[in-house]
Structures are given as C-alpha cells and as structure tokens.
Coordinates of all heavy atoms in Angstrom, one line a residue:
M1101 N 111.4 37.0 -10.3 CA 110.0 36.9 -10.3 C 109.5 36.3 -11.6 O 110.1 36.6 -12.7 CB 109.4 38.3 -10.2 CG 107.9 38.3 -10.3 SD 107.1 39.8 -10.3 CE 105.5 39.3 -10.5
I1102 N 108.6 35.4 -11.5 CA 108.0 34.8 -12.7 C 106.5 35.1 -12.7 O 105.8 34.9 -11.8 CB 108.2 33.3 -12.7 CG1 109.7 32.9 -12.6 CG2 107.6 32.6 -13.9 CD1 110.0 31.5 -12.4
N1103 N 106.1 35.6 -13.9 CA 104.6 35.9 -14.1 C 104.2 35.2 -15.4 O 104.7 35.6 -16.5 CB 104.4 37.4 -14.2 CG 103.0 37.8 -14.4 OD1 102.2 37.0 -15.0 ND2 102.6 39.0 -14.0
T1104 N 103.4 34.2 -15.3 CA 103.0 33.5 -16.6 C 101.5 33.8 -16.9 O 100.8 32.9 -17.4 CB 103.2 32.0 -16.4 OG1 102.5 31.5 -15.3 CG2 104.7 31.7 -16.3
S1105 N 101.0 35.0 -16.6 CA 99.6 35.3 -16.9 C 99.4 35.3 -18.4 O 100.2 35.6 -19.2 CB 99.4 36.8 -16.4 OG 99.4 36.9 -15.0
S1106 N 98.1 34.9 -18.7 CA 97.7 34.9 -20.2 C 97.1 36.3 -20.5 O 96.9 36.5 -21.7 CB 96.8 33.8 -20.4 OG 95.6 34.0 -19.6
S1107 N 96.9 37.2 -19.6 CA 96.4 38.5 -19.8 C 96.9 39.4 -18.8 O 96.9 39.1 -17.6 CB 94.8 38.3 -19.8 OG 94.2 39.6 -19.9
E1108 N 97.2 40.6 -19.2 CA 97.7 41.6 -18.3 C 97.4 43.0 -18.8 O 97.2 43.2 -20.0 CB 99.3 41.5 -18.1 CG 99.7 40.5 -17.2 CD 99.5 40.7 -15.7 OE1 99.0 41.8 -15.3 OE2 99.7 39.8 -15.0
G1109 N 97.4 44.0 -17.9 CA 97.5 45.4 -18.2 C 98.9 45.8 -18.2 O 99.8 45.2 -18.9
L1110 N 99.3 46.7 -17.3 CA 100.7 47.0 -16.9 C 100.8 46.5 -15.5 O 100.4 47.1 -14.5 CB 100.9 48.5 -17.1 CG 102.3 48.9 -17.0 CD1 103.1 48.3 -18.2 CD2 102.4 50.5 -17.1
P1111 N 101.4 45.3 -15.3 CA 101.4 44.6 -14.0 C 102.2 45.3 -12.9 O 103.4 45.5 -12.9 CB 102.1 43.3 -14.3 CG 102.3 43.2 -15.8 CD 102.1 44.6 -16.3
V1112 N 101.4 45.7 -11.9 CA 102.0 46.4 -10.7 C 103.0 45.4 -10.0 O 104.0 45.8 -9.4 CB 100.9 46.9 -9.8 CG1 101.5 47.5 -8.5 CG2 100.1 48.0 -10.5
S1113 N 102.6 44.1 -10.0 CA 103.5 43.2 -9.3 C 104.9 43.2 -9.9 O 105.9 43.1 -9.2 CB 102.9 41.8 -9.4 OG 102.7 41.4 -10.7
I1114 N 105.0 43.4 -11.2 CA 106.3 43.4 -11.9 C 107.0 44.7 -11.5 O 108.2 44.8 -11.2 CB 106.1 43.3 -13.4 CG1 105.8 41.8 -13.7 CG2 107.4 43.7 -14.1 CD1 105.5 41.5 -15.2
M1115 N 106.2 45.8 -11.5 CA 106.8 47.1 -11.1 C 107.4 47.0 -9.7 O 108.5 47.5 -9.4 CB 105.7 48.2 -11.1 CG 105.2 48.6 -12.4 SD 104.0 49.9 -12.2 CE 102.9 49.5 -13.5
E1116 N 106.7 46.4 -8.7 CA 107.1 46.2 -7.4 C 108.4 45.4 -7.3 O 109.4 45.8 -6.6 CB 106.1 45.6 -6.5 CG 104.9 46.5 -6.2 CD 105.2 47.7 -5.3 OE1 106.1 47.5 -4.4 OE2 104.7 48.8 -5.6
A1117 N 108.5 44.3 -8.0 CA 109.7 43.5 -8.0 C 110.9 44.3 -8.6 O 112.0 44.2 -8.0 CB 109.4 42.2 -8.9
M1118 N 110.6 45.0 -9.7 CA 111.7 45.8 -10.3 C 112.2 46.9 -9.3 O 113.4 47.2 -9.3 CB 111.2 46.5 -11.6 CG 111.0 45.6 -12.7 SD 110.2 46.4 -14.1 CE 111.4 47.6 -14.6
S1119 N 111.4 47.4 -8.5 CA 111.8 48.4 -7.5 C 112.8 47.9 -6.5 O 113.6 48.7 -5.9 CB 110.6 49.0 -6.8 OG 110.1 48.2 -5.8
F1120 N 112.8 46.6 -6.4 CA 113.8 45.9 -5.5 C 115.0 45.3 -6.3 O 115.8 44.6 -5.7 CB 113.2 44.9 -4.6 CG 112.3 45.4 -3.6 CD1 110.9 45.6 -3.8 CD2 112.8 45.8 -2.3 CE1 110.1 46.1 -2.8 CE2 112.0 46.4 -1.3 CZ 110.7 46.5 -1.6
G1121 N 115.0 45.6 -7.6 CA 116.1 45.1 -8.4 C 115.9 43.6 -8.7 O 116.9 42.9 -9.1
I1122 N 114.7 43.1 -8.6 CA 114.5 41.6 -8.9 C 114.2 41.4 -10.4 O 113.3 42.0 -11.0 CB 113.3 41.1 -8.1 CG1 113.6 41.3 -6.6 CG2 112.9 39.7 -8.5 CD1 112.4 41.0 -5.7
P1123 N 115.1 40.6 -11.1 CA 114.8 40.3 -12.5 C 113.5 39.6 -12.7 O 113.0 38.9 -11.8 CB 116.0 39.4 -12.8 CG 117.0 39.7 -11.8 CD 116.3 40.0 -10.5
I1124 N 113.0 39.8 -13.9 CA 111.6 39.3 -14.2 C 111.6 38.3 -15.4 O 112.3 38.5 -16.4 CB 110.7 40.5 -14.7 CG1 110.8 41.7 -13.7 CG2 109.3 40.0 -14.9 CD1 110.4 41.4 -12.3
I1125 N 110.9 37.3 -15.2 CA 110.5 36.4 -16.3 C 109.0 36.6 -16.5 O 108.3 36.4 -15.5 CB 110.8 34.9 -16.1 CG1 112.4 34.7 -15.9 CG2 110.3 34.0 -17.2 CD1 112.8 33.4 -15.4
A1126 N 108.5 36.9 -17.7 CA 107.1 37.1 -17.8 C 106.6 36.8 -19.2 O 107.4 37.0 -20.2 CB 106.7 38.6 -17.4
T1127 N 105.3 36.5 -19.3 CA 104.7 36.3 -20.6 C 104.6 37.6 -21.4 O 104.3 38.7 -20.7 CB 103.4 35.6 -20.5 OG1 102.6 36.2 -19.5 CG2 103.6 34.1 -20.2
N1128 N 104.7 37.6 -22.7 CA 104.6 38.8 -23.5 C 103.1 39.0 -23.8 O 102.6 38.7 -24.9 CB 105.4 38.5 -24.8 CG 105.5 39.8 -25.6 OD1 105.1 40.9 -25.1 ND2 106.1 39.7 -26.8
V1129 N 102.4 39.6 -22.8 CA 101.0 39.9 -22.9 C 100.8 41.3 -22.4 O 101.6 41.9 -21.5 CB 100.1 38.9 -22.1 CG1 100.2 37.5 -22.7 CG2 100.4 38.9 -20.7
G1130 N 99.7 42.0 -22.9 CA 99.4 43.3 -22.4 C 100.6 44.3 -22.5 O 101.3 44.3 -23.4
G1131 N 100.8 45.0 -21.4 CA 101.8 46.0 -21.3 C 103.1 45.5 -20.7 O 104.1 46.2 -20.5
T1132 N 103.2 44.2 -20.5 CA 104.4 43.6 -19.9 C 105.7 43.9 -20.6 O 106.7 44.2 -20.0 CB 104.2 42.1 -19.8 OG1 103.0 41.8 -19.0 CG2 105.4 41.4 -19.1
S1133 N 105.7 44.0 -22.0 CA 106.9 44.2 -22.7 C 107.4 45.7 -22.5 O 108.5 46.0 -22.8 CB 106.7 44.0 -24.2 OG 105.7 44.8 -24.7
E1134 N 106.5 46.5 -22.0 CA 107.0 47.9 -21.6 C 107.9 47.9 -20.4 O 108.8 48.7 -20.2 CB 105.8 48.8 -21.3 CG 105.0 49.1 -22.5 CD 103.8 50.0 -22.2 OE1 103.9 50.9 -21.4 OE2 102.6 49.7 -22.7
L1135 N 107.8 46.8 -19.6 CA 108.6 46.7 -18.4 C 109.7 45.7 -18.5 O 110.8 45.9 -18.0 CB 107.7 46.3 -17.2 CG 106.6 47.3 -16.8 CD1 105.7 46.6 -15.8 CD2 107.2 48.6 -16.3
V1136 N 109.4 44.6 -19.2 CA 110.4 43.5 -19.3 C 111.1 43.5 -20.6 O 110.5 43.4 -21.7 CB 109.7 42.1 -19.1 CG1 110.7 41.0 -19.1 CG2 108.9 42.1 -17.8
T1137 N 112.4 43.9 -20.5 CA 113.3 43.9 -21.7 C 114.5 43.1 -21.4 O 114.6 42.5 -20.3 CB 113.7 45.4 -22.0 OG1 114.5 45.8 -20.9 CG2 112.5 46.3 -22.1
D1138 N 115.4 43.1 -22.3 CA 116.7 42.3 -22.0 C 117.5 43.0 -20.9 O 118.4 42.3 -20.3 CB 117.5 42.2 -23.3 CG 117.9 43.5 -23.9 OD1 117.3 44.6 -23.5 OD2 118.9 43.5 -24.7
K1139 N 117.2 44.2 -20.5 CA 117.8 44.9 -19.4 C 117.2 44.6 -18.0 O 117.7 44.9 -17.0 CB 117.9 46.4 -19.6 CG 118.8 46.7 -20.8 CD 118.9 48.2 -20.9 CE 119.7 48.7 -22.1 NZ 121.0 48.1 -22.4
T1140 N 116.0 44.0 -18.1 CA 115.2 43.8 -16.8 C 114.8 42.3 -16.6 O 114.4 41.9 -15.5 CB 114.0 44.6 -16.7 OG1 113.1 44.3 -17.8 CG2 114.3 46.1 -16.8
G1141 N 114.9 41.5 -17.7 CA 114.5 40.1 -17.5 C 114.4 39.4 -18.9 O 115.0 39.8 -19.8
I1142 N 113.4 38.5 -18.9 CA 113.2 37.8 -20.2 C 111.7 37.7 -20.4 O 110.9 37.3 -19.5 CB 113.8 36.3 -20.0 CG1 115.3 36.4 -19.8 CG2 113.4 35.5 -21.2 CD1 115.9 35.1 -19.5
L1143 N 111.2 38.0 -21.6 CA 109.9 37.7 -22.1 C 109.8 36.3 -22.7 O 110.6 35.9 -23.4 CB 109.5 38.7 -23.1 CG 109.1 40.1 -22.6 CD1 108.8 41.1 -23.8 CD2 107.9 40.1 -21.7
I1144 N 108.7 35.6 -22.3 CA 108.4 34.3 -22.9 C 107.1 34.4 -23.5 O 106.3 35.3 -23.3 CB 108.5 33.2 -21.8 CG1 107.5 33.5 -20.6 CG2 109.9 33.0 -21.3 CD1 107.5 32.5 -19.5
P1145 N 106.8 33.4 -24.4 CA 105.5 33.5 -25.2 C 104.3 33.4 -24.3 O 104.4 32.8 -23.2 CB 105.6 32.2 -26.1 CG 107.0 31.8 -26.1 CD 107.6 32.3 -24.8
K1146 N 103.2 33.9 -24.7 CA 101.9 33.9 -24.0 C 101.6 32.5 -23.6 O 101.2 32.2 -22.5 CB 100.8 34.5 -24.8 CG 99.5 34.4 -24.2 CD 98.4 35.0 -25.1 CE 97.0 34.9 -24.5 NZ 96.0 35.4 -25.3
N1147 N 101.6 31.6 -24.6 CA 101.3 30.2 -24.4 C 102.6 29.4 -24.1 O 102.9 28.4 -24.9 CB 100.5 29.6 -25.6 CG 99.2 30.3 -25.8 OD1 98.5 30.6 -24.8 ND2 98.9 30.7 -27.0
C1148 N 103.3 29.8 -23.1 CA 104.6 29.2 -22.9 C 104.5 27.7 -22.4 O 103.5 27.3 -21.8 CB 105.4 30.0 -21.9 SG 104.6 30.1 -20.3
S1149 N 105.5 27.0 -22.7 CA 105.6 25.6 -22.2 C 106.5 25.6 -21.0 O 107.2 26.5 -20.7 CB 106.3 24.7 -23.3 OG 107.6 25.1 -23.4
P1150 N 106.4 24.5 -20.2 CA 107.4 24.3 -19.1 C 108.8 24.5 -19.5 O 109.6 25.0 -18.8 CB 107.0 22.9 -18.6 CG 105.6 22.7 -19.0 CD 105.5 23.4 -20.3
E1151 N 109.1 24.0 -20.7 CA 110.5 24.1 -21.2 C 110.9 25.6 -21.4 O 112.0 26.0 -21.2 CB 110.6 23.4 -22.5 CG 110.6 21.9 -22.4 CD 109.1 21.3 -22.2 OE1 108.2 22.0 -22.6 OE2 109.0 20.2 -21.7
D1152 N 109.9 26.4 -21.9 CA 110.2 27.9 -22.1 C 110.6 28.5 -20.7 O 111.5 29.3 -20.6 CB 109.0 28.6 -22.6 CG 108.6 28.2 -24.1 OD1 109.6 28.0 -24.8 OD2 107.4 28.3 -24.4
V1153 N 109.8 28.2 -19.7 CA 110.0 28.7 -18.3 C 111.4 28.2 -17.8 O 112.2 29.0 -17.3 CB 108.9 28.4 -17.4 CG1 109.2 28.8 -16.0 CG2 107.6 28.9 -17.9
S1154 N 111.7 27.0 -18.0 CA 112.9 26.4 -17.6 C 114.1 27.0 -18.2 O 115.1 27.4 -17.6 CB 112.9 24.8 -17.9 OG 114.2 24.3 -17.5
E1155 N 114.0 27.2 -19.6 CA 115.1 27.9 -20.3 C 115.3 29.3 -19.8 O 116.5 29.8 -19.6 CB 114.8 27.9 -21.8 CG 115.0 26.6 -22.5 CD 114.6 26.7 -24.0 OE1 114.8 27.7 -24.6 OE2 114.2 25.6 -24.5
A1156 N 114.2 30.0 -19.6 CA 114.3 31.4 -19.1 C 114.9 31.4 -17.7 O 115.8 32.3 -17.4 CB 112.9 32.1 -19.0
L1157 N 114.5 30.5 -16.8 CA 115.1 30.4 -15.5 C 116.6 30.1 -15.5 O 117.4 30.8 -14.8 CB 114.5 29.3 -14.7 CG 113.2 29.6 -13.9 CD1 112.5 28.4 -13.4 CD2 113.5 30.6 -12.8
N1158 N 117.1 29.2 -16.4 CA 118.5 28.9 -16.5 C 119.2 30.2 -17.0 O 120.3 30.5 -16.5 CB 118.7 27.8 -17.5 CG 118.4 26.4 -16.8 OD1 118.4 26.3 -15.7 ND2 118.0 25.5 -17.7
S1159 N 118.6 30.9 -18.0 CA 119.3 32.0 -18.5 C 119.4 33.2 -17.5 O 120.4 33.8 -17.3 CB 118.5 32.5 -19.7 OG 119.1 33.7 -20.3
I1160 N 118.3 33.4 -16.8 CA 118.3 34.6 -15.9 C 119.0 34.3 -14.6 O 119.5 35.2 -14.0 CB 116.9 35.1 -15.7 CG1 116.9 36.6 -15.3 CG2 116.2 34.3 -14.6 CD1 115.6 37.3 -15.5
S1161 N 119.1 33.1 -14.2 CA 119.8 32.8 -13.0 C 121.3 33.2 -13.0 O 121.9 33.7 -12.0 CB 119.7 31.3 -12.6 OG 120.5 30.5 -13.5
K1162 N 121.9 33.1 -14.2 CA 123.3 33.6 -14.3 C 123.3 35.1 -14.3 O 124.2 35.6 -13.6 CB 123.8 33.1 -15.7 CG 123.9 31.6 -15.7 CD 124.3 31.1 -17.1 CE 124.1 29.6 -17.2 NZ 124.0 29.1 -18.6
K1163 N 122.4 35.8 -15.0 CA 122.4 37.2 -15.0 C 122.1 37.8 -13.7 O 122.6 38.8 -13.3 CB 121.3 37.7 -16.0 CG 121.6 37.6 -17.4 CD 120.4 38.1 -18.2 CE 120.8 38.7 -19.5 NZ 119.6 39.3 -20.2
S1164 N 121.2 37.2 -12.9 CA 120.7 37.7 -11.7 C 121.7 37.7 -10.6 O 121.5 38.4 -9.6 CB 119.4 37.0 -11.2 OG 119.7 35.7 -10.9
R1165 N 122.8 37.0 -10.7 CA 123.9 37.0 -9.8 C 124.7 38.3 -9.8 O 125.4 38.7 -8.9 CB 124.8 35.8 -9.9 CG 124.1 34.5 -9.6 CD 125.0 33.3 -9.7 NE 124.3 32.1 -9.5 CZ 124.1 31.2 -10.4 NH1 124.7 31.3 -11.6 NH2 123.5 30.1 -10.2
S1166 N 124.5 39.0 -11.0 CA 125.3 40.2 -11.2 C 124.7 41.4 -10.5 O 123.5 41.7 -10.8 CB 125.4 40.5 -12.7 OG 125.8 41.8 -13.0
T1167 N 125.4 42.1 -9.6 CA 124.9 43.3 -9.0 C 124.6 44.4 -10.1 O 123.6 45.1 -9.9 CB 126.0 43.8 -8.0 OG1 126.2 42.8 -7.1 CG2 125.5 45.1 -7.3
D1168 N 125.4 44.4 -11.1 CA 125.1 45.4 -12.2 C 123.8 45.2 -12.8 O 123.1 46.1 -13.1 CB 126.3 45.4 -13.2 CG 127.6 45.9 -12.7 OD1 127.6 46.7 -11.6 OD2 128.6 45.6 -13.2
F1169 N 123.5 43.9 -13.1 CA 122.2 43.6 -13.8 C 121.1 44.0 -12.9 O 120.1 44.6 -13.3 CB 122.1 42.1 -14.1 CG 120.9 41.7 -14.8 CD1 120.6 42.2 -16.1 CD2 119.9 40.9 -14.2 CE1 119.4 41.9 -16.8 CE2 118.7 40.6 -14.9 CZ 118.5 41.1 -16.1
R1170 N 121.2 43.6 -11.6 CA 120.1 44.0 -10.6 C 119.9 45.5 -10.5 O 118.8 46.0 -10.4 CB 120.3 43.3 -9.3 CG 120.2 41.8 -9.4 CD 120.5 41.1 -8.1 NE 119.5 41.3 -7.2 CZ 118.4 40.5 -6.9 NH1 118.3 39.4 -7.6 NH2 117.6 40.8 -6.0
M1171 N 121.0 46.2 -10.6 CA 120.9 47.7 -10.6 C 120.3 48.2 -11.9 O 119.5 49.2 -11.8 CB 122.3 48.3 -10.4 CG 122.9 48.2 -9.0 SD 121.9 48.8 -7.7 CE 121.8 50.6 -8.2
E1172 N 120.5 47.5 -13.0 CA 119.8 47.9 -14.2 C 118.3 47.7 -14.1 O 117.6 48.6 -14.6 CB 120.3 47.1 -15.4 CG 121.6 47.6 -16.1 CD 121.9 46.9 -17.4 OE1 121.1 47.2 -18.4 OE2 122.8 46.2 -17.4
V1173 N 117.9 46.6 -13.5 CA 116.5 46.4 -13.2 C 115.9 47.5 -12.4 O 114.9 48.1 -12.8 CB 116.3 45.0 -12.5 CG1 114.8 44.8 -12.2 CG2 116.8 43.9 -13.5
R1174 N 116.6 47.9 -11.3 CA 116.1 49.0 -10.5 C 116.1 50.3 -11.2 O 115.1 51.1 -11.1 CB 116.9 49.1 -9.2 CG 116.5 50.3 -8.3 CD 116.6 50.0 -6.9 NE 116.4 51.2 -6.1 CZ 115.3 51.7 -5.7 NH1 114.1 51.2 -6.1 NH2 115.3 52.8 -5.0
N1175 N 117.1 50.6 -11.9 CA 117.2 51.8 -12.7 C 116.1 51.9 -13.7 O 115.5 53.0 -14.0 CB 118.5 52.0 -13.3 CG 119.6 52.4 -12.3 OD1 119.3 52.8 -11.2 ND2 120.8 52.0 -12.6
A1176 N 115.7 50.8 -14.4 CA 114.6 50.8 -15.3 C 113.3 51.1 -14.6 O 112.5 51.9 -15.1 CB 114.5 49.4 -16.0
W1177 N 113.1 50.6 -13.4 CA 111.9 50.9 -12.6 C 111.9 52.4 -12.4 O 110.9 53.1 -12.5 CB 111.9 50.1 -11.4 CG 110.9 50.6 -10.4 CD1 109.6 50.4 -10.3 CD2 111.2 51.5 -9.3 NE1 109.0 51.1 -9.3 CE2 110.0 51.8 -8.6 CE3 112.4 52.1 -8.8 CZ2 109.9 52.6 -7.5 CZ3 112.3 52.9 -7.6 CH2 111.1 53.1 -7.0
K1178 N 113.1 52.9 -11.9 CA 113.2 54.3 -11.5 C 112.8 55.2 -12.7 O 112.1 56.2 -12.5 CB 114.6 54.5 -11.0 CG 114.7 55.8 -10.2 CD 116.2 55.8 -9.6 CE 116.3 57.0 -8.8 NZ 117.7 57.1 -8.3
S1179 N 113.3 54.9 -13.8 CA 113.1 55.8 -15.0 C 111.7 55.6 -15.7 O 111.2 56.5 -16.3 CB 114.2 55.6 -16.0 OG 114.1 54.4 -16.6
K1180 N 111.1 54.4 -15.5 CA 109.9 54.2 -16.2 C 108.6 54.3 -15.4 O 107.6 54.8 -15.9 CB 109.9 52.7 -16.8 CG 110.8 52.5 -18.0 CD 110.7 51.2 -18.5 CE 111.7 51.0 -19.7 NZ 111.5 49.6 -20.3
V1181 N 108.7 53.9 -14.2 CA 107.4 53.8 -13.4 C 107.5 54.3 -11.9 O 106.5 54.1 -11.2 CB 106.8 52.4 -13.4 CG1 106.4 52.0 -14.8 CG2 107.8 51.3 -12.9
N1182 N 108.6 54.9 -11.5 CA 108.7 55.4 -10.2 C 107.8 56.6 -10.1 O 108.0 57.6 -10.7 CB 110.1 55.8 -9.9 CG 110.3 56.4 -8.5 OD1 109.3 56.7 -7.8 ND2 111.5 56.5 -8.1
A1183 N 106.7 56.5 -9.3 CA 105.7 57.6 -9.2 C 106.3 58.9 -8.8 O 106.0 59.9 -9.4 CB 104.6 57.2 -8.2
Q1184 N 107.2 58.9 -7.8 CA 107.8 60.2 -7.4 C 108.5 60.9 -8.5 O 108.2 62.1 -8.7 CB 108.9 59.9 -6.3 CG 109.6 61.1 -5.8 CD 109.0 61.7 -4.5 OE1 108.4 60.9 -3.8 NE2 109.3 62.9 -4.3
E1185 N 109.3 60.2 -9.3 CA 109.9 60.8 -10.5 C 108.9 61.2 -11.6 O 109.0 62.3 -12.2 CB 111.0 60.0 -11.0 CG 112.2 59.9 -10.0 CD 113.5 59.4 -10.6 OE1 113.7 59.5 -11.8 OE2 114.3 59.0 -9.8
N1186 N 108.0 60.3 -11.9 CA 107.1 60.5 -12.9 C 106.2 61.7 -12.6 O 105.9 62.6 -13.5 CB 106.2 59.3 -13.2 CG 107.0 58.3 -14.0 OD1 108.0 58.5 -14.6 ND2 106.5 57.0 -14.0
F1187 N 105.7 61.8 -11.4 CA 104.8 62.9 -11.0 C 105.6 64.3 -11.0 O 105.1 65.3 -11.5 CB 104.2 62.7 -9.6 CG 103.2 61.6 -9.5 CD1 103.1 60.9 -8.4 CD2 102.4 61.3 -10.6 CE1 102.1 59.9 -8.3 CE2 101.5 60.2 -10.6 CZ 101.4 59.5 -9.4
T1188 N 106.8 64.2 -10.6 CA 107.7 65.4 -10.6 C 107.9 65.9 -12.1 O 107.7 67.1 -12.4 CB 109.0 65.2 -9.9 OG1 108.7 64.9 -8.6 CG2 109.9 66.4 -10.0
N1189 N 108.3 64.9 -12.9 CA 108.5 65.2 -14.4 C 107.2 65.8 -15.0 O 107.3 66.7 -15.8 CB 109.0 64.0 -15.1 CG 110.4 63.7 -14.7 OD1 111.2 64.5 -14.1 ND2 110.8 62.4 -14.9
F1190 N 106.1 65.1 -14.7 CA 104.8 65.6 -15.3 C 104.5 67.0 -14.9 O 104.1 67.8 -15.7 CB 103.7 64.6 -14.9 CG 102.3 64.9 -15.4 CD1 102.1 64.9 -16.8 CD2 101.3 65.2 -14.6 CE1 100.9 65.2 -17.3 CE2 100.0 65.5 -15.1 CZ 99.8 65.5 -16.5
A1191 N 104.7 67.3 -13.6 CA 104.4 68.6 -13.1 C 105.3 69.7 -13.8 O 104.9 70.7 -14.1 CB 104.6 68.7 -11.6
E1192 N 106.6 69.3 -13.9 CA 107.5 70.2 -14.6 C 107.1 70.5 -16.1 O 107.2 71.6 -16.6 CB 108.9 69.7 -14.5 CG 109.5 69.7 -13.1 CD 110.8 69.0 -13.0 OE1 111.3 68.4 -14.0 OE2 111.4 69.1 -11.9
Q1193 N 106.6 69.4 -16.7 CA 106.2 69.6 -18.1 C 105.0 70.5 -18.2 O 104.8 71.3 -19.1 CB 105.9 68.2 -18.8 CG 107.1 67.4 -19.1 CD 106.8 66.0 -19.6 OE1 105.6 65.6 -19.6 NE2 107.8 65.3 -20.0
L1194 N 104.0 70.3 -17.3 CA 102.8 71.1 -17.2 C 103.2 72.6 -17.0 O 102.6 73.5 -17.6 CB 101.8 70.6 -16.2 CG 101.1 69.3 -16.5 CD1 100.2 68.9 -15.3 CD2 100.2 69.5 -17.8
N1195 N 104.1 72.8 -16.0 CA 104.5 74.1 -15.7 C 105.2 74.8 -16.9 O 105.0 75.9 -17.2 CB 105.5 74.1 -14.5 CG 105.8 75.5 -14.0 OD1 104.9 76.3 -13.9 ND2 107.0 75.7 -13.6
S1196 N 106.0 74.0 -17.6 CA 106.7 74.5 -18.8 C 105.7 74.9 -19.9 O 105.8 76.0 -20.5 CB 107.6 73.5 -19.4 OG 108.2 73.9 -20.6
I1197 N 104.7 74.1 -20.1 CA 103.6 74.4 -21.1 C 102.9 75.7 -20.7 O 102.6 76.6 -21.5 CB 102.6 73.3 -21.2 CG1 103.3 72.1 -21.9 CG2 101.4 73.7 -22.0 CD1 102.6 70.8 -21.9
S1198 N 102.6 75.8 -19.4 CA 101.9 76.9 -18.8 C 102.7 78.2 -19.0 O 102.1 79.3 -19.4 CB 101.6 76.7 -17.4 OG 101.0 77.9 -16.8
E1199 N 104.0 78.1 -18.8 CA 104.9 79.3 -18.9 C 104.9 79.7 -20.4 O 105.0 80.9 -20.7 CB 106.3 79.0 -18.4 CG 106.3 79.0 -16.9 CD 107.7 78.5 -16.3 OE1 108.6 78.3 -17.1 OE2 107.8 78.5 -15.1
Q1200 N 105.0 78.7 -21.3 CA 105.0 79.1 -22.7 C 103.8 79.8 -23.2 O 103.8 80.7 -24.0 CB 105.2 77.8 -23.6 CG 106.6 77.2 -23.4 CD 106.7 75.8 -24.2 OE1 105.7 75.4 -24.8 NE2 107.8 75.1 -24.0
N1201 N 102.6 79.4 -22.6 CA 101.4 80.0 -23.0 C 101.2 81.4 -22.5 O 100.3 82.1 -22.9 CB 100.2 79.1 -22.6 CG 100.2 77.8 -23.5 OD1 100.6 77.8 -24.6 ND2 99.6 76.7 -23.0
T1202 N 101.9 81.7 -21.4 CA 101.8 83.1 -20.8 C 102.7 84.1 -21.4 O 102.7 85.3 -21.1 CB 102.0 83.0 -19.3 OG1 103.3 82.5 -19.0 CG2 100.9 82.2 -18.6
H1203 N 103.6 83.6 -22.3 CA 104.6 84.6 -22.9 C 104.2 84.9 -24.3 O 103.7 84.6 -25.1 CB 106.0 84.0 -22.9 CG 106.6 83.9 -21.6 ND1 106.8 82.7 -20.9 CD2 107.0 84.8 -20.7 CE1 107.3 82.9 -19.7 NE2 107.4 84.2 -19.5

C-alpha cells in the first residue's frame, strides 16, 4: 500500500492494510510513524519526490515477497491496533486498577 498524504491522523487505511499483512509505504506525517516502521514498511519524507516513491517501491518489493515479513506486518497490526485485543487489554487494566483500589 502506498499513502503519500501530506497530512494524517492515525490512518485507518494503513491499519486495514496491515491487518492483511500488506507492507506499507507512507509519508512521515501525523501518526503514521506509529504504524509504519522498518518491520511494517517504509516511511518517506512528507514532501517526497517521485524518486523517493520509486526507491521505496524497489526496496519493499523484495521484502514483501517474504512470508515472514508479511507476518511481521500483520503481527504489528495485531499488537498495536487490533480492537479486539486492545479492548480486552484495556478492560483487564481497568479491572486490575479497580481491584487494587478495593483492597
């Protein structure tokens, strides 16, 4: 997936791609760097040139053929932004705090 936005929050489109193990090329804007790391893809400059995008494509095309790399992308999604896991962990943390306060 390639995202060359000049402005972002925490892009849901990137989260969705990661959930399928799709490597990401994205501009380093907003919260994108929280999702796109060397384990999930490549960050390019906000004001990227066509050459920046081309270099990133060449680099990631080799990596993306690896099943292990694609699994790393999916695992990063699972640990960082998977709602099921995040909500469960959050509920467990709240429960733990509640139990500490009652003892």
Side-chain angles (χ1 to χ4, degrees):
M1101 175 187 176
I1102 301 173
N1103 179 333
T1104 57
S1105 294
S1106 60
S1107 173
E1108 281 289 355
L1110 192 60
V1112 173
S1113 59
I1114 290 176
M1115 292 180 214
E1116 289 293 322
M1118 289 173 64
S1119 75
F1120 288 94
I1122 298 171
I1124 311 298
I1125 296 170
T1127 47
N1128 191 5
V1129 296
T1132 303
S1133 64
E1134 293 178 41
L1135 300 171
V1136 182
T1137 67
D1138 60 342
K1139 295 189 185 306
T1140 61
I1142 298 173
L1143 281 175
I1144 55 179
K1146 175 182 177 179
N1147 297 316
C1148 60
S1149 67
E1151 291 78 19
D1152 292 328
V1153 176
S1154 176
E1155 285 177 30
L1157 274 169
N1158 286 331
S1159 177
I1160 207 159
S1161 70
K1162 295 170 190 160
K1163 285 177 149 183
S1164 66
R1165 291 185 188 116
S1166 162
T1167 303
D1168 290 340
F1169 181 68
R1170 294 178 67 95
M1171 287 304 297
E1172 274 192 72
V1173 174
R1174 175 143 169 86
N1175 289 337
W1177 165 80
K1178 197 173 180 183
S1179 69
K1180 290 182 179 186
V1181 293
N1182 178 348
Q1184 177 96 24
E1185 291 200 21
N1186 284 342
F1187 292 150
T1188 300
N1189 291 338
F1190 181 62
E1192 288 171 358
Q1193 288 175 354
L1194 287 177
N1195 190 40
S1196 174
I1197 291 169
S1198 176
E1199 287 176 359
Q1200 289 175 4
N1201 289 334
T1202 60
H1203 290 111

